[in-house]
Amino acid sequence: MTDQARGAESEIPGKPTSASRTTLSHIMTHNDTNLLGTVHGGVIMKLVDDAAGAVAGRHSGGPAVTASMDEMVFLEPVRVGDLVHVKAQVNWTGRTSMEVGVRVLAERWNESTPAQQVGSAYLVFAAVDGDGKPRSVPPVVPERERDERRYQEAQIRRQHRLARRRAIKELRERRAAEGIED
C-alpha cells in the first residue's frame, strides 16, 4: 500500500517508522536470574513490554496499553553480565491499535564481540484517552523495504489473530448450544 493510500485511511497525518523507533538497554544482574542461573524470561518480557510501550506511546502521541502479546520467542539464554538491547518499532497501525515488533539482543558487557539476537516478540497496543477509552492513532508510514515487509507481515498476523478469535468464539457458542459447560 502506498503512503498516500495509508494517509487516506485516516484523518490523522501518518508518521514514519523512524519517528517512534527506540532501543532500551539494560545490564543483567543476579537479581534477574531464575533457578538455572540464567536471566528469567519474565525479566526479558518486562523489558520487551517497556520498550514496546514507549514506542506505542510515542507513535500514538499519548497513553497506550498492552492489548496482547502475539509471540515471544527466546532464541538463546541471557546471562548475568549481559548487556541487553531491546529494539522496538511500530510495524502496523489500525484505527486505534498498533503492532509493535521487538528484537532482543545481548552482548557481554566486558567483551567487544557483536551483540547476538536472543529473542523477538510482537505486541499489540491500544491507544487510550484519559478515561481509558480507545482513541485514534496515526497511520505508520514504512520508510524502507524492511519496514514495508514488516507492515505486510503484521497484517498477516492480524488476520490470524482475528480468525483465531472467531474460531474460538464459534466453538464456545456451539458447545454452549449443546449444553456443554466449560
Side-chain angles (χ1 to χ4, degrees):
M1 176 180 292
T2 67
D3 295 351
Q4 188 176 13
R6 277 193 192 93
E9 293 174 359
S10 170
E11 295 178 15
I12 302 171
K15 284 186 171 180
T17 308
S18 62
S20 57
R21 191 178 289 140
T22 194
T23 300
L24 174 81
S25 297
H26 188 78
I27 292 180
M28 298 292 109
T29 69
H30 287 286
N31 292 335
D32 301 317
T33 59
N34 58 27
L35 296 174
L36 297 175
T38 56
V39 173
H40 195 287
V43 170
I44 301 299
M45 290 174 76
K46 181 177 183 334
L47 293 173
V48 163
D49 191 45
D50 288 347
V55 165
R58 275 184 180 178
H59 182 82
S60 68
V65 296
T66 310
S68 70
M69 180 181 276
D70 262 10
E71 188 176 305
M72 177 76 217
V73 177
F74 297 99
L75 302 169
E76 296 289 334
V78 177
R79 301 171 294 166
V80 170
D82 281 354
L83 178 57
V84 172
H85 307 286
V86 183
K87 297 177 176 279
Q89 76 170 46
V90 173
N91 289 336
W92 174 89
T93 52
R95 192 175 56 77
T96 61
S97 64
M98 60 208 110
E99 182 195 90
V100 178
V102 181
R103 287 182 356 139
V104 183
L105 305 158
E107 62 180 303
R108 296 305 293 168
W109 68 273
N110 60 347
E111 296 176 7
S112 61
T113 55
Q116 167 183 0
Q117 185 170 352
V118 295
S120 65
Y122 300 102
L123 297 87
V124 176
F125 279 79
V128 295
D129 63 17
D131 296 323
K133 304 288 185 213
R135 61 183 177 79
S136 296
V137 300
V140 67
V141 180
E143 299 171 278
R144 303 175 297 192
E145 184 60 37
R146 176 176 31 196
D147 298 331
E148 184 62 39
R149 175 187 51 79
R150 289 176 179 160
Y151 185 92
Q152 292 170 354
E153 290 172 356
Q155 288 179 304
I156 293 167
R157 282 187 291 276
R158 180 175 187 274
Q159 290 169 352
H160 284 254
R161 275 193 306 277
L162 295 174
R164 183 177 59 234
R165 201 175 298 155
R166 273 192 307 275
I168 290 170
K169 181 180 178 190
E170 290 169 6
L171 174 64
R172 288 179 179 172
E173 288 171 353
R174 264 196 324 274
R175 290 176 59 84
E178 294 170 1
I180 301 170
E181 292 187 34
D182 288 334

